[in-house]
Amino acid sequence: MHLGWVDWLLMLIYFGFVLGIGFALKRYMKTSNDFFLAGRAIPAWVCGLAFISANLGAQEVIGMGASGAKYGIITSHFYWIGAIPAMLFVGLFMMPFYYGSKARSVPEYLRMRYDEKTRALNAFSFAIMTVFSSGISMYAMALLIQTLGLLHGIVPDGWIFHVSVALSAMIVLGYIFLGGLTSAIYNEVLQFFLIVAGFLPLVWVGLRNVGGWDGIRRTLPASMTHSWRGMLHANTNPLGVEIVGLVMGLGFVLSFGYWCTDFLVIQRAMAADSQDAARRVPIIAAVPKMLFPFLVILPGLIAVCVGAHGGHGIIPVKVDPLSGSAVVDASGNAIYNYDLAIPMMLLHFFPSGILGLGLTALLASFMSGMAGNVTAFNTVWTYDIYQSYIRKGASDEHYLWMGRVSTVGGVLLSVAAAYAATSFNNIMDALQLIFSMVNAPLFATFLLGMFWKRTTGHGAFAGLLSGTITAMAHHGLTLPAGATPGIHGGWLGHVIYTYPSDMAQNLWTAIFAFSVNLIVTIAVSFVTEPKPESELVGLVYSLTPRQSEVHLAWWQKPQALAFAVLLILLLLNVVFA
C-alpha cells in the first residue's frame, strides 16, 4: 500500500464536502418537519437514489463482499430474491398507505392502524435495531482504517481502532446535526455515485487479473459460481440453507420485512414530493439494485481467486481489533476475516490516486449506512417516544431541538454497538440476525394490518410480542456450527439444534418469528373487537380508494416500471442459475 498526497486530498475533499452540505442546509431547518421529513419536497429520482444508498452502507459493500468470498455467487439471492420483489411490492401496494396516511414514521402508522401499545413496542425495538445497525457500519469503517494503517504514525497502534470509531462518529454527527434528513439524502446521492465510480474499475481490473468469469469458474468449486445449484439440501451449498429456508426465510420474511417495514428506507420514499413519486421511489431504486451484485459480490469472489493460498486468496486471518491477537474457532482453527475482502482488493489492485478514490468510495458507504440509521433513530425517538410518552404538547421548536439532541445520543449509542460487532467475521451475518428479530415478526403485523381489516390492536400487539420473543428464544437455543455459545446463539444454556452456518440460523429465526406472529395475531383478532371501518379508510387496502393514474405517461406508471424490472430479474436468475 502506498497512499500519495492525491489519495489523502480526495478523502479530505470528501469529508469537507459532506460537512459543507450540512452547513449549507442548516438555515433551511426551521421546523421539525424540515429536519425529520425534508419538508416532503424531494424529487422522486433523488429519493430513489437515496432509498438505495441508505441501504448501501457497510452491510452492502463490506458485508456482501464478505458473503461473496465466504459463500459465492449464491449471495446474489440477497438481491434477486431477497430485495427486488419486496421493493416492487412496497412501491405498488404499501407506499400509498404510508404516504397517504400522513404518518411521520412507521411506528406512527401502527398507532393509526392499531393502537398506542403496538406503536410503542415497535418504536422501542426499532430504535434499538437502528443503533446496532449504525454501530456495525461504524465498526466496519474503523476496521478498515485500522487494517489499512491510515492513522499509523499519528497515534499508537493500539489506539487506531478507537480513534477510527471516534472519527466516523464525529463526521456523521456533524452533517446530520446541521442538515437533518435533507442533508442525509443529498449526501447519500453523492455517496451512490462515488461508490459506483470507485468500484467499477476494481471489478474490471480484478476480472482481467483472474481471467474473467470463466477464470473464476475454473478456480472455485461449482457451488460458489452457481446461484441455484445445490439448493435442494442444506449440506450441498456453502450458505447451508435449503430452498425452503431460502425462499421463505430470505425471499419472503426477511426481505419483505426489511424493505416494507424498515423506517430507514421508508423514510426516504416518504420525503418525496407526491404520492405518485413516493410509489416510484423503491421501483426506481430496484433498477441499480439488481446490478449491484456485480459491484459488491463479484470482488469477494475475485479476492478468493487472486493468489490463492489454502483456498482463501488474499483474505487475511481475523485479528481481534482490541487485543491484536489472531481469532480461532471452537476447534482452534484460524478464522478468516471475510469483511476485508474488498479492502484487500483495493490494496492489491489500485495504485496511488485510484486507491484514494476506492477508499473514498468505501468511506462513503460507511457514512451512508450510519447516517441512514441515525436519521431514522432521531425521528422515531422524537416523534414516537419522546413526544408520545415523555413531553407531550411542546412547541415545534422544542421537538426540533430534541431531534438534534437525539442525533448526538444515537451516535454515542452507536459507538457502543460498534464494539459489540467485533465478534463477527461477516457483518452481514450480524445484520441479518438483527433483522430476523425485529423486522421479520413486524412484517406479519403489517401484512395483516394492511390487507385484513379484521386485525385488531390487541392481536397485533400480542403477535408482535410473541414473534419477537420467539426469535430471541430460537436464537438462544440454537447455534451455528463451530461457534461458541454467546452472541452467535446458545445463550440460554442448552443448544437443541446446530445449523450449518450463521446465515441458516438467521433465516430460520426469521421464519419462526414471522409464523408465530401471524398465528397469534389472527387468533387474538378473532376474539377481540376490531376498529370501525370508518377509522380504517386510507389504512387498509380494501377500504382505500384507488388513486387515478390516467395523468401519467406509461413509463411513469409504477405497474409498467415494475413489470420491466421483473423481466430483467428473471433473466438474471436464469443466466446465473
Side-chain angles (χ1 to χ4, degrees):
M1 179 188 68
H2 174 67
L3 286 174
W5 67 269
V6 176
D7 303 309
W8 288 105
L9 181 62
L10 282 171
M11 286 183 279
L12 288 174
I13 290 174
Y14 168 71
F15 289 139
F17 200 85
V18 296
L19 291 174
I21 291 177
F23 278 106
L25 292 172
K26 184 178 185 296
R27 61 193 178 99
Y28 297 105
M29 299 299 109
K30 298 177 181 179
T31 68
S32 62
N33 185 62
D34 296 330
F35 188 81
F36 295 118
L37 294 175
R40 286 194 164 183
I42 308 295
W45 72 270
V46 174
C47 289
L49 292 180
F51 188 92
I52 188 174
S53 191
N55 179 252
L56 195 58
Q59 70 265 39
E60 183 98 10
V61 177
I62 294 296
M64 287 301 181
S67 294
K70 185 176 182 179
Y71 302 122
I73 198 64
I74 198 173
T75 309
S76 64
H77 289 312
F78 284 92
Y79 293 83
W80 300 337
I81 296 296
I84 305 304
M87 293 170 74
L88 300 181
F89 184 83
V90 71
L92 293 175
F93 299 106
M94 299 185 75
M95 278 314 304
F97 302 119
Y98 285 132
Y99 197 94
S101 66
K102 302 300 181 185
R104 297 170 297 180
S105 67
V106 167
E108 187 166 74
Y109 172 84
L110 287 176
R111 178 190 63 78
M112 298 167 70
R113 173 59 183 89
Y114 292 120
D115 52 28
E116 195 63 52
K117 62 180 181 294
T118 307
R119 175 225 211 149
L121 179 58
N122 175 238
F124 280 101
S125 63
F126 178 78
I128 294 170
M129 182 189 77
T130 55
V131 164
F132 275 102
S133 297
S134 179
I136 289 171
S137 292
M138 190 179 295
Y139 158 72
M141 180 174 176
L143 182 65
L144 169 69
I145 296 175
Q146 181 195 47
T147 304
L148 302 180
L150 296 182
L151 300 180
H152 185 70
I154 300 176
V155 295
D157 286 347
W159 288 92
I160 292 178
F161 185 81
H162 309 292
V163 173
S164 304
V165 168
L167 176 67
S168 59
M170 287 188 293
I171 293 171
V172 171
L173 173 61
Y175 74 79
I176 299 300
F177 185 89
L178 294 168
L181 178 62
T182 308
S183 178
I185 285 176
Y186 281 105
N187 269 307
E188 283 160 0
V189 173
L190 167 67
Q191 289 154 356
F192 173 84
F193 289 111
L194 265 177
I195 291 167
V196 173
F199 280 63
L200 272 178
L202 180 67
V203 173
W204 184 74
V205 173
L207 282 175
R208 283 174 57 91
N209 184 271
V210 298
W213 179 247
D214 287 337
I216 293 176
R217 295 178 65 180
R218 288 193 298 269
T219 305
L220 299 179
S223 59
M224 292 189 69
T225 58
H226 291 271
S227 60
W228 287 101
R229 183 174 298 184
M231 290 305 302
L232 290 178
H233 302 284
N235 58 356
T236 56
N237 66 82
L239 202 59
V241 183
E242 75 293 335
I243 194 168
V244 175
L246 178 77
V247 174
M248 180 66 180
L250 176 61
F252 181 62
V253 178
L254 273 180
S255 66
F256 279 72
Y258 176 78
W259 292 102
C260 297
T261 70
D262 196 315
F263 185 53
L264 164 66
V265 290
I266 297 298
Q267 187 180 30
R268 272 72 191 152
M270 291 172 69
D273 54 13
S274 69
Q275 182 168 306
D276 288 331
R279 294 185 70 194
R280 290 197 301 270
V281 164
I283 301 174
I284 291 171
V287 177
K289 185 74 174 178
M290 280 191 297
L291 305 178
F292 263 72
F294 303 109
L295 279 183
V296 295
I297 296 177
L298 203 50
L301 274 79
I302 296 171
V304 181
C305 295
V306 175
H309 55 79
H312 292 91
I314 55 176
I315 307 295
V317 172
K318 182 175 176 62
V319 175
D320 189 317
L322 305 181
S323 67
S325 58
V327 180
V328 297
D329 61 18
S331 303
N333 300 316
I335 296 177
Y336 286 87
N337 196 344
Y338 295 104
D339 286 337
L340 293 179
I342 286 183
M344 295 305 295
M345 283 283 290
L346 292 173
L347 293 178
H348 190 82
F349 288 115
F350 277 0
S352 178
I354 301 297
L355 178 59
L357 178 63
L359 293 179
T360 303
L362 270 183
L363 296 176
S365 75
F366 304 143
M367 298 291 185
S368 174
M370 291 169 58
N373 283 287
V374 170
T375 54
F377 173 83
N378 63 25
T379 304
V380 169
W381 167 263
T382 304
Y383 283 151
D384 296 296
I385 298 176
Y386 183 79
Q387 185 182 36
S388 300
Y389 310 113
I390 300 175
R391 181 83 181 269
K392 295 183 178 180
S395 66
D396 188 74
E397 290 78 8
H398 178 78
Y399 293 127
L400 176 59
W401 171 82
M402 175 48 62
R404 290 197 164 105
V405 171
S406 62
T407 300
V408 177
V411 170
L412 292 177
L413 290 172
S414 299
V415 170
Y419 288 91
T422 59
S423 66
F424 285 84
N425 73 332
N426 182 349
I427 59 174
M428 182 54 67
D429 291 338
L431 281 161
Q432 295 301 329
L433 169 60
I434 297 170
F435 295 154
S436 69
M437 292 189 174
V438 178
N439 294 97
L442 180 61
F443 179 55
T445 303
F446 271 91
L447 193 65
L448 289 171
M450 286 186 172
F451 298 99
W452 187 41
K453 62 183 180 181
R454 184 68 179 76
T455 315
T456 68
H458 294 308
F461 179 79
L464 188 56
L465 185 62
S466 300
T468 304
I469 293 174
T470 298
M472 296 177 65
H474 179 267
H475 184 258
L477 292 170
T478 61
L479 198 65
T484 55
I487 197 169
H488 289 267
W491 44 270
L492 286 177
H494 179 65
V495 177
I496 62 175
Y497 188 78
T498 300
Y499 285 98
S501 66
D502 286 274
M503 197 62 70
Q505 181 194 37
N506 294 337
L507 296 182
W508 280 102
T509 297
I511 291 173
F512 281 113
F514 172 85
S515 301
V516 169
N517 187 347
L518 194 74
I519 293 169
V520 171
T521 301
I522 292 174
V524 175
S525 292
F526 272 124
V527 297
T528 53
E529 189 69 25
K531 279 187 172 184
E533 290 189 3
S534 59
E535 297 181 18
L536 299 179
V537 176
L539 301 173
V540 178
Y541 189 79
S542 62
L543 301 176
T544 302
R546 307 295 178 266
Q547 188 172 9
S548 173
E549 296 179 349
V550 295
H551 62 288
L552 298 176
W554 68 268
W555 50 270
Q556 291 179 314
K557 294 181 179 180
Q559 291 88 344
L561 292 173
F563 182 73
V565 171
L566 281 175
L567 288 180
I568 301 172
L569 181 65
L570 178 62
L571 178 64
L572 288 170
N573 273 284
V574 170
V575 171
F576 290 93

mmCIF file of all heavy atoms in Angstrom, residues 131-149:
data_model
loop_
_atom_site.group_PDB
_atom_site.id
_atom_site.type_symbol
_atom_site.label_atom_id
_atom_site.label_comp_id
_atom_site.label_asym_id
_atom_site.label_seq_id
_atom_site.Cartn_x
_atom_site.Cartn_y
_atom_site.Cartn_z
ATOM 1 N N VAL A 131 -29.661 1.532 16.271
ATOM 2 C CA VAL A 131 -28.403 1.779 16.979
ATOM 3 C C VAL A 131 -27.388 0.693 16.655
ATOM 4 O O VAL A 131 -26.220 0.972 16.365
ATOM 5 C CB VAL A 131 -28.654 1.870 18.500
ATOM 6 C CG1 VAL A 131 -27.348 1.738 19.270
ATOM 7 C CG2 VAL A 131 -29.342 3.186 18.838
ATOM 8 N N PHE A 132 -27.839 -0.566 16.685
ATOM 9 C CA PHE A 132 -26.924 -1.665 16.370
ATOM 10 C C PHE A 132 -26.487 -1.622 14.912
ATOM 11 O O PHE A 132 -25.320 -1.856 14.585
ATOM 12 C CB PHE A 132 -27.576 -3.008 16.692
ATOM 13 C CG PHE A 132 -27.431 -3.419 18.125
ATOM 14 C CD1 PHE A 132 -28.486 -3.277 19.019
ATOM 15 C CD2 PHE A 132 -26.236 -3.933 18.601
ATOM 16 C CE1 PHE A 132 -28.346 -3.635 20.349
ATOM 17 C CE2 PHE A 132 -26.078 -4.301 19.925
ATOM 18 C CZ PHE A 132 -27.139 -4.154 20.803
ATOM 19 N N SER A 133 -27.407 -1.322 13.995
ATOM 20 C CA SER A 133 -27.054 -1.246 12.576
ATOM 21 C C SER A 133 -26.049 -0.130 12.326
ATOM 22 O O SER A 133 -25.093 -0.295 11.567
ATOM 23 C CB SER A 133 -28.312 -1.019 11.729
ATOM 24 O OG SER A 133 -29.203 -2.095 11.851
ATOM 25 N N SER A 134 -26.274 1.021 12.942
ATOM 26 C CA SER A 134 -25.337 2.133 12.804
ATOM 27 C C SER A 134 -23.976 1.769 13.392
ATOM 28 O O SER A 134 -22.926 2.100 12.828
ATOM 29 C CB SER A 134 -25.886 3.375 13.502
ATOM 30 O OG SER A 134 -24.981 4.454 13.408
ATOM 31 N N GLY A 135 -24.001 1.062 14.517
ATOM 32 C CA GLY A 135 -22.740 0.637 15.139
ATOM 33 C C GLY A 135 -21.957 -0.326 14.270
ATOM 34 O O GLY A 135 -20.723 -0.284 14.241
ATOM 35 N N ILE A 136 -22.664 -1.191 13.532
ATOM 36 C CA ILE A 136 -21.984 -2.130 12.638
ATOM 37 C C ILE A 136 -21.290 -1.376 11.510
ATOM 38 O O ILE A 136 -20.158 -1.688 11.125
ATOM 39 C CB ILE A 136 -22.986 -3.168 12.095
ATOM 40 C CG1 ILE A 136 -23.382 -4.126 13.219
ATOM 41 C CG2 ILE A 136 -22.398 -3.942 10.925
ATOM 42 C CD1 ILE A 136 -24.514 -5.062 12.858
ATOM 43 N N SER A 137 -21.945 -0.352 10.948
ATOM 44 C CA SER A 137 -21.299 0.472 9.926
ATOM 45 C C SER A 137 -20.081 1.186 10.494
ATOM 46 O O SER A 137 -19.035 1.292 9.840
ATOM 47 C CB SER A 137 -22.293 1.499 9.369
ATOM 48 O OG SER A 137 -23.312 0.886 8.633
ATOM 49 N N MET A 138 -20.216 1.678 11.709
ATOM 50 C CA MET A 138 -19.100 2.368 12.357
ATOM 51 C C MET A 138 -17.934 1.415 12.602
ATOM 52 O O MET A 138 -16.768 1.759 12.397
ATOM 53 C CB MET A 138 -19.591 2.962 13.673
ATOM 54 C CG MET A 138 -18.606 3.909 14.339
ATOM 55 S SD MET A 138 -19.290 4.574 15.869
ATOM 56 C CE MET A 138 -20.655 5.538 15.243
ATOM 57 N N TYR A 139 -18.253 0.196 13.039
ATOM 58 C CA TYR A 139 -17.218 -0.817 13.248
ATOM 59 C C TYR A 139 -16.498 -1.141 11.952
ATOM 60 O O TYR A 139 -15.266 -1.257 11.910
ATOM 61 C CB TYR A 139 -17.854 -2.080 13.829
ATOM 62 C CG TYR A 139 -17.045 -3.342 13.603
ATOM 63 C CD1 TYR A 139 -15.853 -3.555 14.300
ATOM 64 C CD2 TYR A 139 -17.462 -4.303 12.685
ATOM 65 C CE1 TYR A 139 -15.105 -4.706 14.081
ATOM 66 C CE2 TYR A 139 -16.723 -5.456 12.470
ATOM 67 C CZ TYR A 139 -15.550 -5.649 13.168
ATOM 68 O OH TYR A 139 -14.800 -6.782 12.947
ATOM 69 N N ALA A 140 -17.253 -1.276 10.862
ATOM 70 C CA ALA A 140 -16.638 -1.609 9.582
ATOM 71 C C ALA A 140 -15.690 -0.506 9.124
ATOM 72 O O ALA A 140 -14.601 -0.775 8.604
ATOM 73 C CB ALA A 140 -17.717 -1.839 8.531
ATOM 74 N N MET A 141 -16.080 0.742 9.324
ATOM 75 C CA MET A 141 -15.216 1.847 8.929
ATOM 76 C C MET A 141 -13.955 1.879 9.783
ATOM 77 O O MET A 141 -12.844 2.069 9.271
ATOM 78 C CB MET A 141 -15.971 3.172 9.064
ATOM 79 C CG MET A 141 -15.139 4.383 8.677
ATOM 80 S SD MET A 141 -16.119 5.887 8.677
ATOM 81 C CE MET A 141 -14.833 7.098 8.304
ATOM 82 N N ALA A 142 -14.119 1.680 11.094
ATOM 83 C CA ALA A 142 -12.955 1.669 11.970
ATOM 84 C C ALA A 142 -12.016 0.513 11.654
ATOM 85 O O ALA A 142 -10.790 0.661 11.673
ATOM 86 C CB ALA A 142 -13.412 1.583 13.431
ATOM 87 N N LEU A 143 -12.603 -0.642 11.324
ATOM 88 C CA LEU A 143 -11.786 -1.805 10.965
ATOM 89 C C LEU A 143 -10.992 -1.534 9.700
ATOM 90 O O LEU A 143 -9.819 -1.906 9.587
ATOM 91 C CB LEU A 143 -12.694 -3.022 10.773
ATOM 92 C CG LEU A 143 -12.002 -4.345 10.428
ATOM 93 C CD1 LEU A 143 -11.136 -4.799 11.591
ATOM 94 C CD2 LEU A 143 -13.030 -5.409 10.082
ATOM 95 N N LEU A 144 -11.634 -0.870 8.743
ATOM 96 C CA LEU A 144 -10.938 -0.530 7.502
ATOM 97 C C LEU A 144 -9.749 0.377 7.776
ATOM 98 O O LEU A 144 -8.631 0.134 7.311
ATOM 99 C CB LEU A 144 -11.906 0.148 6.537
ATOM 100 C CG LEU A 144 -11.269 0.797 5.299
ATOM 101 C CD1 LEU A 144 -10.730 -0.271 4.367
ATOM 102 C CD2 LEU A 144 -12.263 1.685 4.584
ATOM 103 N N ILE A 145 -9.982 1.449 8.543
ATOM 104 C CA ILE A 145 -8.906 2.398 8.823
ATOM 105 C C ILE A 145 -7.789 1.725 9.597
ATOM 106 O O ILE A 145 -6.601 1.919 9.321
ATOM 107 C CB ILE A 145 -9.446 3.614 9.594
ATOM 108 C CG1 ILE A 145 -10.445 4.380 8.720
ATOM 109 C CG2 ILE A 145 -8.324 4.535 10.024
ATOM 110 C CD1 ILE A 145 -11.133 5.533 9.426
ATOM 111 N N GLN A 146 -8.154 0.885 10.548
ATOM 112 C CA GLN A 146 -7.133 0.187 11.324
ATOM 113 C C GLN A 146 -6.316 -0.757 10.452
ATOM 114 O O GLN A 146 -5.092 -0.786 10.515
ATOM 115 C CB GLN A 146 -7.786 -0.601 12.455
ATOM 116 C CG GLN A 146 -6.759 -1.335 13.335
ATOM 117 C CD GLN A 146 -7.418 -2.379 14.210
ATOM 118 O OE1 GLN A 146 -8.231 -3.153 13.728
ATOM 119 N NE2 GLN A 146 -7.066 -2.403 15.475
ATOM 120 N N THR A 147 -7.005 -1.525 9.616
ATOM 121 C CA THR A 147 -6.327 -2.510 8.790
ATOM 122 C C THR A 147 -5.409 -1.867 7.764
ATOM 123 O O THR A 147 -4.297 -2.326 7.520
ATOM 124 C CB THR A 147 -7.360 -3.397 8.075
ATOM 125 O OG1 THR A 147 -8.217 -3.983 9.062
ATOM 126 C CG2 THR A 147 -6.684 -4.494 7.291
ATOM 127 N N LEU A 148 -5.875 -0.800 7.162
ATOM 128 C CA LEU A 148 -5.069 -0.128 6.152
ATOM 129 C C LEU A 148 -3.943 0.697 6.762
ATOM 130 O O LEU A 148 -3.044 1.151 6.054
ATOM 131 C CB LEU A 148 -5.957 0.770 5.280
ATOM 132 C CG LEU A 148 -7.109 0.080 4.547
ATOM 133 C CD1 LEU A 148 -7.884 1.095 3.727
ATOM 134 C CD2 LEU A 148 -6.592 -1.023 3.653
ATOM 135 N N GLY A 149 -4.024 0.937 8.063
ATOM 136 C CA GLY A 149 -2.976 1.707 8.715
ATOM 137 C C GLY A 149 -2.993 3.173 8.332
ATOM 138 O O GLY A 149 -1.941 3.822 8.305
#
